[in-house]
Amino acid sequence: MAMLVAASALAPAVASAAPPPELDFSKYPRVDANRYVSYNYDNNGRAFFRAAGFYCSIGQYPGRVACKGSVATAPHGSQGVLLNNSQGPWWVTPTGTAAPNISLLPNARFAAPELPVGRSIGIYDVVCAQPRAAVVSCSSRGRAFVISPKWHKFYAPAGVRDANPPADRLPPSLR
Protein backbone atom coordinates (compact mmCIF):
# COMPACT_ATOMS: atom_id res chain seq x y z
CA MET A 1 0.00 0.00 0.00
CA ALA A 2 2.85 2.39 0.78
CA MET A 3 4.21 1.97 -2.75
CA LEU A 4 0.77 2.74 -4.17
CA VAL A 5 0.68 5.98 -2.20
CA ALA A 6 4.26 6.79 -3.23
CA ALA A 7 3.48 6.04 -6.86
CA SER A 8 0.41 8.29 -6.80
CA ALA A 9 2.66 11.15 -5.66
CA LEU A 10 4.59 10.70 -8.91
CA ALA A 11 1.62 11.30 -11.18
CA PRO A 12 1.97 15.00 -12.08
CA ALA A 13 -1.33 15.47 -13.95
CA VAL A 14 -4.08 15.16 -11.34
CA ALA A 15 -3.41 14.55 -7.66
CA SER A 16 -6.43 12.28 -7.28
CA ALA A 17 -5.65 10.23 -10.40
CA ALA A 18 -4.48 6.65 -9.95
CA PRO A 19 -0.86 6.02 -10.82
CA PRO A 20 -0.18 4.58 -14.25
CA PRO A 21 -0.08 0.76 -14.18
CA GLU A 22 3.67 0.82 -14.84
CA LEU A 23 4.18 2.53 -11.44
CA ASP A 24 1.54 0.72 -9.41
CA PHE A 25 4.05 -1.68 -7.86
CA SER A 26 1.37 -3.24 -5.64
CA LYS A 27 0.20 -5.14 -8.76
CA TYR A 28 3.52 -6.92 -9.22
CA PRO A 29 4.48 -9.61 -6.67
CA ARG A 30 8.04 -9.31 -5.37
CA VAL A 31 10.80 -11.75 -6.21
CA ASP A 32 13.29 -12.94 -3.58
CA ALA A 33 15.81 -10.10 -3.77
CA ASN A 34 18.61 -12.23 -2.29
CA ARG A 35 18.91 -14.06 -5.62
CA TYR A 36 19.78 -10.78 -7.35
CA VAL A 37 22.44 -9.49 -4.94
CA SER A 38 26.09 -9.93 -5.85
CA TYR A 39 28.12 -10.77 -2.78
CA ASN A 40 31.39 -10.24 -4.64
CA TYR A 41 33.34 -7.51 -2.85
CA ASP A 42 34.11 -5.69 -6.12
CA ASN A 43 30.39 -5.21 -6.85
CA ASN A 44 29.95 -3.22 -3.63
CA GLY A 45 26.79 -5.04 -2.50
CA ARG A 46 24.78 -4.06 -5.57
CA ALA A 47 21.92 -6.13 -6.93
CA PHE A 48 21.55 -6.75 -10.65
CA PHE A 49 18.74 -7.89 -12.92
CA ARG A 50 18.00 -8.14 -16.61
CA ALA A 51 14.62 -7.13 -18.01
CA ALA A 52 13.21 -5.98 -21.34
CA GLY A 53 16.66 -5.86 -22.93
CA PHE A 54 18.10 -3.69 -20.13
CA TYR A 55 20.75 -4.54 -17.53
CA CYS A 56 19.86 -2.83 -14.25
CA SER A 57 21.61 -2.38 -10.92
CA ILE A 58 20.27 -1.35 -7.53
CA GLY A 59 22.59 0.06 -4.85
CA GLN A 60 25.62 0.60 -3.86
CA TYR A 61 23.85 3.38 -2.00
CA PRO A 62 20.23 3.39 -0.79
CA GLY A 63 17.92 4.85 -3.41
CA ARG A 64 20.25 4.38 -6.38
CA VAL A 65 19.11 2.51 -9.48
CA ALA A 66 20.53 2.52 -13.00
CA CYS A 67 19.65 0.65 -16.18
CA LYS A 68 21.95 0.20 -19.16
CA GLY A 69 20.42 -0.06 -22.59
CA SER A 70 19.23 1.84 -25.63
CA VAL A 71 16.07 3.93 -25.66
CA ALA A 72 14.96 5.49 -28.96
CA THR A 73 13.82 8.75 -27.30
CA ALA A 74 17.06 9.24 -25.32
CA PRO A 75 19.63 11.84 -26.35
CA HIS A 76 22.33 10.63 -28.74
CA GLY A 77 25.13 8.79 -26.96
CA SER A 78 23.08 7.78 -23.92
CA GLN A 79 24.14 4.51 -22.35
CA GLY A 80 21.32 4.23 -19.83
CA VAL A 81 19.39 6.00 -17.09
CA LEU A 82 20.17 6.72 -13.43
CA LEU A 83 18.31 8.01 -10.41
CA ASN A 84 18.76 8.15 -6.67
CA ASN A 85 16.54 9.42 -3.86
CA SER A 86 17.59 13.03 -4.34
CA GLN A 87 18.58 13.34 -8.01
CA GLY A 88 17.42 12.32 -11.46
CA PRO A 89 16.31 10.50 -13.39
CA TRP A 90 19.13 11.39 -15.75
CA TRP A 91 20.55 9.92 -18.90
CA VAL A 92 24.00 8.45 -18.46
CA THR A 93 26.35 9.59 -21.22
CA PRO A 94 30.13 9.17 -21.52
CA THR A 95 30.70 12.82 -20.55
CA GLY A 96 27.54 13.55 -18.54
CA THR A 97 27.01 14.35 -14.88
CA ALA A 98 27.25 10.74 -13.68
CA ALA A 99 30.12 9.66 -15.93
CA PRO A 100 32.69 8.30 -15.40
CA ASN A 101 31.71 7.70 -11.76
CA ILE A 102 28.78 5.35 -12.41
CA SER A 103 29.27 1.74 -13.32
CA LEU A 104 26.20 0.39 -15.11
CA LEU A 105 27.49 -3.18 -15.11
CA PRO A 106 29.01 -5.36 -12.38
CA ASN A 107 32.67 -4.69 -11.61
CA ALA A 108 33.18 -8.41 -11.04
CA ARG A 109 31.55 -11.38 -12.75
CA PHE A 110 27.91 -11.86 -11.80
CA ALA A 111 25.21 -13.64 -13.79
CA ALA A 112 22.26 -11.30 -13.32
CA PRO A 113 18.94 -13.16 -13.24
CA GLU A 114 16.05 -12.14 -15.46
CA LEU A 115 13.26 -10.28 -13.65
CA PRO A 116 10.11 -12.04 -14.83
CA VAL A 117 7.34 -10.13 -16.57
CA GLY A 118 4.68 -9.11 -14.05
CA ARG A 119 7.10 -9.23 -11.07
CA SER A 120 8.95 -6.62 -9.04
CA ILE A 121 12.08 -6.37 -6.91
CA GLY A 122 12.51 -4.15 -3.87
CA ILE A 123 15.87 -3.37 -2.28
CA TYR A 124 16.61 -0.51 0.11
CA ASP A 125 14.13 2.18 -0.95
CA VAL A 126 14.10 1.22 -4.65
CA VAL A 127 11.36 -0.77 -6.34
CA CYS A 128 11.59 -1.92 -9.95
CA ALA A 129 9.22 -4.01 -12.03
CA GLN A 130 8.81 -5.45 -15.48
CA PRO A 131 5.11 -4.63 -15.88
CA ARG A 132 5.00 -6.14 -19.38
CA ALA A 133 7.45 -7.37 -21.99
CA ALA A 134 9.85 -4.63 -23.18
CA VAL A 135 9.08 -2.27 -20.25
CA VAL A 136 11.03 -1.59 -17.04
CA SER A 137 9.89 0.80 -14.32
CA CYS A 138 11.81 1.91 -11.22
CA SER A 139 11.03 4.28 -8.37
CA SER A 140 12.81 5.76 -5.37
CA ARG A 141 11.33 8.41 -3.04
CA GLY A 142 9.15 10.43 -5.41
CA ARG A 143 11.30 9.93 -8.49
CA ALA A 144 10.80 7.29 -11.16
CA PHE A 145 11.44 6.25 -14.71
CA VAL A 146 9.66 3.95 -17.11
CA ILE A 147 11.73 2.81 -20.09
CA SER A 148 11.35 0.63 -23.14
CA PRO A 149 13.50 0.33 -26.26
CA LYS A 150 11.02 2.69 -28.02
CA TRP A 151 10.28 5.42 -25.43
CA HIS A 152 10.83 6.70 -21.90
CA LYS A 153 8.93 8.63 -19.23
CA PHE A 154 10.61 10.38 -16.28
CA TYR A 155 8.89 11.45 -13.05
CA ALA A 156 10.69 13.95 -10.84
CA PRO A 157 10.21 17.29 -9.13
CA ALA A 158 10.12 20.34 -11.40
CA GLY A 159 13.48 21.37 -12.79
CA VAL A 160 14.92 17.99 -13.72
CA ARG A 161 16.79 18.70 -16.94
CA ASP A 162 16.14 15.51 -18.92
CA ALA A 163 12.81 16.05 -20.65
CA ASN A 164 10.13 13.55 -21.59
CA PRO A 165 9.25 12.84 -25.22
CA PRO A 166 6.04 14.24 -26.72
CA ALA A 167 2.91 12.50 -25.40
CA ASP A 168 2.08 10.99 -28.81
CA ARG A 169 5.29 8.91 -28.57
CA LEU A 170 4.17 7.33 -25.27
CA PRO A 171 1.69 4.55 -24.57
CA PRO A 172 -1.75 5.85 -23.52
CA SER A 173 -1.23 4.95 -19.84
CA LEU A 174 1.74 7.36 -19.61
CA ARG A 175 0.41 10.39 -21.52
Side-chain angles (χ1 to χ4, degrees), residues 50-131:
R50 294 175 295 112
F54 295 96
Y55 199 106
C56 300
S57 67
I58 299 173
Q60 137 189 19
Y61 307 104
R64 182 185 237 176
V65 59
C67 291
K68 179 177 178 55
S70 297
V71 178
T73 54
H76 179 73
S78 295
Q79 299 169 335
V81 64
L82 163 73
L83 74 78
N84 63 41
N85 350 353
S86 61
Q87 299 176 328
W90 288 334
W91 293 111
V92 177
T93 61
T95 59
T97 304
N101 300 325
I102 180 72
S103 174
L104 295 173
L105 298 173
N107 295 326
R109 178 171 279 181
F110 180 72
E114 183 81 21
L115 182 65
V117 173
R119 301 296 301 269
S120 67
I121 183 171
I123 298 177
Y124 304 123
D125 48 357
V126 171
V127 177
C128 292
Q130 185 171 193

